[in-house]
Amino acid sequence: MAAVAVSSAGPRLSKVPEITALFWVIKVLSTGMGETFSDFLVNHLPPELAVGGGLLLLGASLYVQFRTPGYRVWSYWTAVVMVSIVGTMVADIVDFVIGVPLALSTLGFAVLLGVILRVWYRSEKTLSVHSISTRRREVFYWSTVMTTFALGTVAGDLTAERLHLGFMPSAVLFAVAIAVPAIAFRWFGLGAVAAFWSAYVVTRPLGASVTDWLASTHADGLGLGTGWVTLAVTVPMVALIGMLGVREARSTTVAAGEPAHQ
C-alpha cells in the first residue's frame, strides 16, 4: 500500500500520522490483533465484563487522544487498537446477540459509513486525513474509523462463514481488494483521499481473516488459539509503534533546536 502513501510538507498540524508503508503495516497488525484479542476476552471473561471493560478503555483512550495537542504516536495508536477491539465486539453483538444477518449488517454499516463521510464532507469540504486539526474534524475522523472497523469485521465474517470461503481464501480475496485502490491511485487517477479510505476499510477484513485463520480450530484454521496469535501479532506491532515513537522524539528534539543523537 505504499502506492497510496501521501506525504505533506511543512509543519504537521494534523492529529493523524503520515500515511506511509509503515502506517499500513501497523494498521493491518492492529486489525488482526483486535479481532483475536476481542475473541479471547469474550471467551475467557464474562461477556458483560469484556464488553464493558472494552468500552471503558476505549473511552479513556479517545479522551486522551482528544486532549493531546497534535499527533502523538502512543496516544493515537492506543486509540486505534481499542477501536479495533471494541469494533469487533460491536460487530459480534450485532451478529450473534441481536441476530442481524451478516449480509444485512454489512450493508447497514456500509450505508452508515457513507452517511458519515457525506456529512463530514458537506461540513468540512474535505475528507483528507492531513486536515484533522479541529475538534469537529477529529470527531468525524474517529466516527469513520470506528465504523470501518465494524464494517470490516462483518464483511470478513460474511465471506468466511456465510459465503463459505473460509479464512485463508477470504484473506487472499481482501489482499487482492486492497491492491485495487493502490493501482487505481498510481495508474488510473483515483484521488488520494478516495484511495486512502477505500484501502482503510479493507485493512480490517484482511488482518482479521489472517489472524482468524491462524487461531481458528475450524477446518481451514491452524488452531493456534486466540491468546497465542494475539501475542504473536502484538509484539511486532508494539515494536513498530515504538520505532515511530523514537522517530517522533528525535523530530521533536531537532525542532527544538537540539542536536539529535546518532
Side-chain angles (χ1 to χ4, degrees), residues 210-236:
V210 172
T211 53
D212 276 338
W213 171 69
L214 292 170
S216 176
T217 56
H218 292 177
D220 67 330
L222 296 186
L224 300 180
T226 54
W228 287 112
V229 172
T230 298
L231 180 62
V233 174
T234 300
V235 170

Side-chain angles (χ1 to χ4, degrees), residues 50-198:
V51 175
L55 289 171
L56 182 63
L57 291 174
L58 171 62
S61 66
L62 288 176
Y63 175 80
V64 172
Q65 170 64 17
F66 274 85
R67 295 283 294 178
T68 300
Y71 166 66
R72 296 293 181 269
V73 171
W74 288 105
S75 62
Y76 175 83
W77 285 109
T78 298
V80 169
V81 168
M82 289 312 306
V83 168
S84 177
I85 295 169
V86 175
T88 301
M89 292 178 176
V90 169
D92 287 344
I93 288 172
V94 170
D95 181 20
F96 299 111
V97 178
I98 301 177
V100 178
L102 282 169
L104 183 58
S105 60
T106 300
L107 176 62
F109 282 121
V111 170
L112 177 60
L113 177 61
V115 170
I116 293 173
L117 291 174
R118 179 175 175 80
V119 174
W120 180 359
Y121 185 79
R122 293 188 66 176
S123 172
E124 303 299 315
K125 307 307 178 187
T126 180
L127 299 176
S128 171
V129 295
H130 296 300
S131 68
I132 311 301
S133 55
T134 66
R135 179 60 55 85
R136 183 163 61 182
R137 290 182 179 183
E138 198 170 7
V139 170
F140 279 126
Y141 175 80
W142 287 104
S143 299
T144 303
V145 169
M146 185 71 182
T147 306
T148 65
F149 273 90
L151 171 60
T153 299
V154 294
D157 290 342
L158 176 66
T159 60
E161 299 177 14
R162 294 299 183 270
L163 299 182
H164 307 293
L165 293 183
F167 294 124
M168 181 47 65
S170 292
V172 173
L173 171 66
F174 292 119
V176 172
I178 203 172
V180 172
I183 294 171
F185 172 75
R186 173 162 295 197
W187 286 295
F188 297 100
L190 180 66
V193 172
F196 171 82
W197 285 115
S198 298

